[in-house]
Amino acid sequence: MAYQHTIAGQRWQFDDLRDLLAKATPLRSGDALAGIAAASAVERMAARMALAEVPLKTFLSEAFIPYESDEVTRLILDTHDAAAFAPIAHLTVGDLRNWLLDHATTSAVLAAVAPGITPEMAAAVSKLMRNQDLIAVARKCGVVTRFRNTIGLPGRLAVRLQPNHPTDDLRGIAASMIDGLLYGAGDAVIGVNPATDSIAALMGLVHMLGDVIERLQIPTQSCVLTHVTNTIQMVEQGAPVDLVFQSIAGTEAANAGFGISLALLKEAREAALSLRRGTDFGDGIGDNVMYFETGQGSALSANAHHGVDQQTCEARAYGVARAFAPLLTNTVVGFIGPEYLYDGKQIIRAGLEDHFCGKLLGVPLGCDVCYTNHAEADSDDMDTLMTLLGTAGLTFIMGVPGADDIMLNYQSTSFHDALYLREVLGLRCAPEFAAWLERMQITDASGRLLPASANHPALNQMRQWRIGP
């Protein structure tokens, strides 16, 4: 079905809904690279005006990628909740924007309709919204998940402690981990990106992380961010796996490029659930066992976008995540490079879009606020984005020593950045983790760090262990 809009006597024509959304997207280098972006600001505005008039029901009958050839499309349409959609079924995309911003549309209302909103609907309405709109609505979207602690409560900001090491040295990882814990980081997950795919080395990492958590009785979870097939092997070999990690995308072809399918993700989730580490370990409280990472441009970089704009592909990835009830999902927003998000302005916009779409769909959405060194961006841009996301109710950010990941070679956020956000915005960490920090004399009752000392209880315990060879 073709769409059109006239501005100043000039009629703009759009071939189908896929073309309309691509042309309505704020300018970004990835869509220009794909040859699907609007040719001018006027065409972009015409597309937005036409998009505002499209009924939401249209997204249930006009598939962006054919149902027969894409399992993500089948997942989205087959799991659509018609009852949840009913209260907004009569709206257009423009009406949906106004409804989302209405004061009467509360967190409870948004949670109730989330299963009825498709990723394409979320992507479409985001294209009509200013940055402040994305922040205001996302702030109202509450998504709470649980494993050994509770993530996503109002007034909370969790941190993934990311103690990566270029050679997977256990002592180096442990040093960074203790550094992060003493700064109050680690309630989202203690997650290591391994430098190797050796199952023996991965098993060593899993056991070391689990040992630290158990000995210190930390109410958090660990994750080694290896391929899902490696994690399944580790579960089969009896490793103490908490969370299953996998990078995901919004099309079947892009996921195939990652070496995964929906069936494989289901198998991995069932394997992790069989261990019952979220409910049987210590004071475990939940069974959200999956951790997903995404990023705008992944489908395009794999030549698997089918002409769909990169932000809509990203929203479809959240549709995949939603189906597996993850504890954590985050967009690694500036990691792929300037070919997809050219500068700080584009990275900031993408981060706000991703957070909005994920939360609107009911996905616990964090963000790796990051950039590569060849992008037209710097740490000031990242300060802006993380402050905006903190205001918008971001689920979690990354905590990287010095904000410089020495294994992945990109710029992220530091332990100090998390302290800044919590202090300035009045945020706390996960409640169970906050109680542990106070018990370990890392923070006071208000959540502020206490002065460090050589006789710190956590350090005294660690000195008694031997880690690594």
Side-chain angles (χ1 to χ4, degrees):
M1 177 180 175
Y3 299 87
Q4 61 184 28
H5 188 79
T6 301
I7 294 181
Q10 182 175 359
R11 176 175 294 180
W12 297 89
Q13 189 88 10
F14 308 98
D15 296 337
D16 51 26
L17 200 53
R18 179 180 59 185
D19 182 46
L20 180 63
L21 262 70
K23 297 295 195 299
T25 304
L27 177 63
R28 65 204 57 198
S29 52
D31 292 335
L33 178 65
I36 60 175
S40 67
V42 177
E43 183 180 22
R44 186 173 300 110
M45 182 55 66
R48 290 175 180 170
M49 297 297 288
L51 179 59
E53 300 301 320
V54 175
L56 293 180
K57 291 180 179 179
T58 306
F59 291 88
L60 301 176
S61 58
E62 189 173 335
F64 283 48
I65 304 172
Y67 182 94
E68 298 76 15
S69 60
D70 186 89
E71 67 173 0
V72 176
T73 297
R74 294 194 293 274
L75 173 70
I76 291 168
L77 295 179
D78 292 349
T79 60
H80 180 254
D81 189 328
F85 180 61
I88 59 172
H90 62 290
L91 301 179
T92 64
V93 176
D95 294 333
L96 178 61
R97 172 191 175 273
N98 296 336
W99 181 84
L100 290 170
L101 289 165
D102 194 308
H103 291 304
T105 305
T106 62
S107 297
V109 172
L110 288 168
V113 302
I117 298 176
T118 68
E120 292 85 353
M121 293 176 194
V125 73
S126 76
K127 299 175 192 300
L128 305 184
M129 302 176 82
R130 294 175 58 181
N131 286 359
Q132 64 178 254
D133 299 337
L134 298 173
I135 293 168
V137 176
R139 187 175 176 85
K140 295 194 292 184
C141 295
V143 183
V144 177
T145 56
R146 295 177 175 87
F147 192 73
R148 290 201 196 99
N149 56 21
T150 308
I151 304 294
L153 292 170
R156 306 281 175 169
L157 174 70
V159 180
R160 170 189 160 189
L161 175 46
Q162 186 170 313
N164 292 344
H165 192 279
T167 63
D168 291 338
D169 181 80
L170 295 182
R171 289 169 295 185
I173 290 170
S176 293
M177 182 166 34
I178 293 303
D179 187 27
L181 290 170
L182 292 175
Y183 277 105
D187 49 340
V189 64
I190 302 175
V192 175
N193 297 91
T196 179
D197 282 331
S198 161
I199 296 297
L202 297 174
M203 292 276 284
L205 284 170
V206 170
H207 279 283
M208 187 273 281
L209 296 175
D211 188 44
V212 171
I213 289 172
E214 185 172 2
R215 288 185 183 230
L216 289 176
Q217 288 297 291
I218 310 172
T220 190
Q221 36 282 326
S222 70
C223 185
V224 174
L225 282 71
T226 186
H227 193 269
V228 64
T229 53
N230 292 333
T231 305
I232 291 173
Q233 286 188 59
M234 288 192 289
V235 171
E236 292 172 344
Q237 294 181 32
V241 171
D242 287 343
L243 304 184
V244 175
F245 168 81
Q246 184 55 50
S247 295
I248 58 173
T251 72
E252 179 178 346
N255 283 327
F258 286 137
I260 63 168
S261 65
L262 300 182
L264 182 60
L265 294 178
K266 180 181 179 182
E267 178 186 350
R269 180 171 182 267
E270 290 173 349
L273 286 171
S274 71
L275 299 179
R276 298 185 58 83
R277 290 182 58 79
T279 52
D280 289 356
F281 183 102
D283 296 323
I285 57 175
D287 60 0
N288 297 116
V289 297
M290 303 300 284
Y291 175 17
F292 296 122
E293 284 190 344
T294 66
Q296 287 195 30
S298 59
L300 175 57
S301 67
N303 194 28
H305 61 102
H306 301 276
V308 178
D309 70 89
Q310 66 182 40
Q311 190 252 331
T312 300
C313 282
E314 174 74 359
R316 284 169 57 95
Y318 304 147
V320 173
R322 178 168 64 176
F324 296 96
L327 179 76
L328 307 166
T329 301
N330 71 265
T331 168
V332 193
V333 65
F335 183 73
I336 303 182
E339 300 87 351
Y340 306 96
L341 295 170
Y342 177 72
D343 56 15
K345 180 180 177 65
Q346 292 187 14
I347 292 172
I348 289 168
R349 174 68 189 191
L352 294 176
E353 290 170 346
D354 293 350
H355 180 248
F356 163 82
C357 287
K359 286 291 188 62
L360 187 61
L361 293 169
V363 175
L365 217 291
C367 184
D368 189 343
V369 179
C370 63
Y371 65 101
T372 57
N373 288 312
H374 62 308
E376 293 295 320
D378 58 27
S379 58
D380 286 336
D381 294 316
M382 300 306 104
D383 284 351
T384 299
L385 177 54
M386 70 180 182
T387 304
L388 293 174
L389 287 171
T391 304
L394 184 72
T395 301
F396 70 106
I397 64 169
M398 306 298 126
V400 178
D404 184 4
D405 193 303
I406 59 174
M407 198 283 282
L408 294 174
N409 293 311
Y410 76 115
Q411 308 304 309
S412 185
T413 47
S414 70
F415 306 140
H416 298 82
D417 292 330
L419 291 177
Y420 149 75
L421 282 180
R422 286 172 173 166
E423 176 72 21
V424 170
L425 300 178
L427 303 172
R428 297 288 301 274
C429 52
E432 302 87 352
F433 193 79
W436 178 82
L437 290 174
E438 186 177 353
R439 186 166 65 250
M440 296 296 290
Q441 301 175 36
I442 296 172
T443 64
D444 61 21
S446 71
R448 287 192 171 181
L449 291 182
L450 292 170
S453 71
N455 292 318
H456 197 281
L459 290 177
N460 285 335
Q461 289 191 44
M462 289 295 288
R463 288 190 184 101
Q464 302 172 24
W465 310 345
R466 178 178 178 84
I467 294 178

